[in-house]
Each structure stands twice: as C-alpha cells, then as structure tokens.
Amino acid sequence: MSAVVHVLLSFFLCIALANTDIFDNVLVDMSYDHYAEKRVDQLPAFLAMPFNCLVNVGYIIVGVYWLTRRMKDPVAAYAKDVFALMAITYGPIQWTRLATLRRAPSVLDQWFTLPIFAWVPVWCRAITHGWSARYAVTVEVCSVASYALALLHERGFELALGAHISVAVLQAAAAQRNFGDQVSLRYFIHAALSCAGFVLLKLLDHELAKFWLFQNLTGHFWSKVCDILQFHYSFCFLTHLTQIAHKRTS
C-alpha cells in the first residue's frame, strides 16, 4: 500500500502541475508529423497510430508481472513495487499523449521518465548500503524538480534525461562490481543495450522510415519495445542483486 501511495501522490501532483500554464513554454511535440508512423484516419484517435499506441500495453504487462512477484525482504519488495507501479502508470500516459496530442500529456510523458530512471540509483543504493528513506526522497524530489531545466532551455529535458541515464548506468555498474555475478552481468548488459536502443531508435525514427523495414513498425515503435525490455531487464538485474546481497548479509 505504501508503494501505491508513493507513486500516486507523485502521479497526481505532476498531473495537476502539468495542467496549469507553468509549462506553456516547454518544447514538446504535439503533432503526428513528429512520428514516422502514418496516421490511419479510419481508426479512432486512441488508435490513430496503431503500432505506436498498442505498444504501450507492454509497459502495463511488464509492470503487472513484476508487481505480482513476491520478495521476502520488505524493503526490496517496496522498491520493486514502486518501480512496477511506475511502469504501469507510464504506459497510459504515453498512450494519452498520442490519443490527444495535448500539451499536458506531452509534458507528463517527458516528466515521468526522469523519476523512473532516478529509481534505479535509489534501489542500487539500498542494495549496496541499505535502505535510506531520506536518500530516496531526496533523489526523487531532485529528479522531479530537474524537469525545470525544460523551462530554462529548449533542450533542458534532454540534458536532464542524459544526466539521469548516466547516473543510473554508473550506479548499476557500481552495484554490479560490489555484488554481481555472471547472471547479473548478463542482465546489466541487456538493460544497457535496451537503453541504448531506446534512445537511438527514437532519435532515428524518421531516418529509419526511409527503409521499408521501418515504415510500419517504425523506429519509435522499436524504441518503445527497447524501453519495455529495459524495464524488464532492470527488474531482473536489481532483484537478482538483491537476492545476492541478502544471502551475503544473512
């Protein structure tokens, strides 16, 4: 229940702020031209780009799968449940953005990415140094607040996201060095490759659409597939490290 409260409080706070005029000057794309997948006019708005829309179900599936997995340690269970609930809420946000092309969902799509990446260092530190509620709150508050960079510069979000990804990878690598084995290393590599695919395929969406292979299942679609895999392999990596750390300390 505490994980639900944690995620929903942040979720509704961000929704409330995104629906004010605070972010009116943030650079977000609110046009189908931003995506390489062609709109299907015969379909309703929530399926206007069917592949880019339906792929968001993957976030919910991964989130529900990991939410139902049981962990004996209550701290690890809390960390896992928060991460799973983040995945479950993130899919509908992206789908709403595509269905409405409104500013608020577009802002939320960007904004929610940051605390999701920030949760990886929080979980990693819980594995390596033990749980600290103060550290978790500090990291998440700073992460949410970092979206203010989007107000200061048109590429502020990209700067914040790049910093979040870098910190997440570095903290995961440090946790791997301290507690990892060959299994966790494999998960780490898969998560890192999925993260690279998530970034690169999204950036190359229109360029890849020049090739027939990416004209229906576009770069943006495969970027989301990589993002979903990134979630899954991050869960695999972090839960496996948690089990190793628990065995060493018990």
Side-chain angles (χ1 to χ4, degrees), residues 91-110:
I93 286 172
Q94 291 193 80
W95 201 333
T96 303
R97 176 181 186 175
L98 294 176
T100 65
L101 295 180
R102 291 180 57 246
R103 174 169 291 276
S106 300
V107 166
L108 288 169
D109 183 14
Q110 291 185 344

Side-chain angles (χ1 to χ4, degrees), residues 119-235:
W119 196 249
V120 173
V122 170
W123 195 344
C124 285
R125 191 184 188 282
I127 294 170
T128 57
H129 295 85
W131 177 256
S132 170
R134 177 179 294 181
Y135 178 81
V137 171
T138 300
V139 169
E140 286 295 288
V141 168
C142 290
S143 174
V144 170
S146 71
Y147 190 64
L149 289 172
L151 297 171
L152 302 177
H153 192 275
E154 64 179 13
R155 295 301 175 192
F157 166 69
E158 285 81 355
L159 176 62
L161 179 59
H164 277 70
I165 292 174
S166 299
V167 171
V169 172
L170 289 173
Q171 289 292 320
Q176 169 64 26
R177 285 195 301 271
N178 289 332
F179 289 98
D181 58 13
Q182 288 300 312
V183 174
S184 61
L185 178 60
R186 185 171 70 250
Y187 290 145
F188 174 77
I189 292 172
H190 287 166
L193 290 174
S194 298
C195 181
F198 160 65
V199 174
L200 293 175
L201 288 167
K202 181 177 288 188
L203 291 175
L204 297 174
D205 190 24
H206 283 282
E207 289 299 317
L208 290 171
K210 297 175 182 177
F211 304 96
W212 69 267
L213 189 63
F214 293 95
Q215 288 177 355
N216 289 315
L217 299 179
T218 61
H220 188 272
F221 168 84
W222 289 114
S223 169
K224 293 305 173 186
V225 171
C226 286
D227 197 20
I228 293 164
L229 290 174
Q230 179 182 199
F231 255 118
H232 176 68
Y233 286 120
S234 295
F235 274 113

Side-chain angles (χ1 to χ4, degrees), residues 14 17-19 23-24 26-28 30 93 97 102-113 147 157:
C14 290
L17 292 175
N19 280 281
F23 299 106
D24 282 354
V26 171
L27 180 64
V28 290
M30 296 182 291
I93 286 172
R97 176 181 186 175
R102 291 180 57 246
R103 174 169 291 276
S106 300
V107 166
L108 288 169
D109 183 14
Q110 291 185 344
W111 199 356
F112 258 59
T113 307
Y147 190 64
F157 166 69

Side-chain angles (χ1 to χ4, degrees), residues 53-132:
C53 289
L54 290 173
V55 72
N56 292 299
V57 175
Y59 292 97
I60 300 172
I61 293 172
V62 168
V64 169
Y65 171 79
W66 283 100
L67 190 64
T68 57
R69 300 279 294 223
R70 294 288 175 256
M71 299 190 72
K72 294 180 180 179
D73 180 51
V75 170
Y78 175 77
K80 173 190 69 68
D81 289 351
V82 168
F83 205 37
L85 288 166
M86 286 177 170
I88 291 170
T89 55
Y90 190 53
I93 286 172
Q94 291 193 80
W95 201 333
T96 303
R97 176 181 186 175
L98 294 176
T100 65
L101 295 180
R102 291 180 57 246
R103 174 169 291 276
S106 300
V107 166
L108 288 169
D109 183 14
Q110 291 185 344
W111 199 356
F112 258 59
T113 307
L114 303 180
I116 290 173
F117 273 104
W119 196 249
V120 173
V122 170
W123 195 344
C124 285
R125 191 184 188 282
I127 294 170
T128 57
H129 295 85
W131 177 256
S132 170

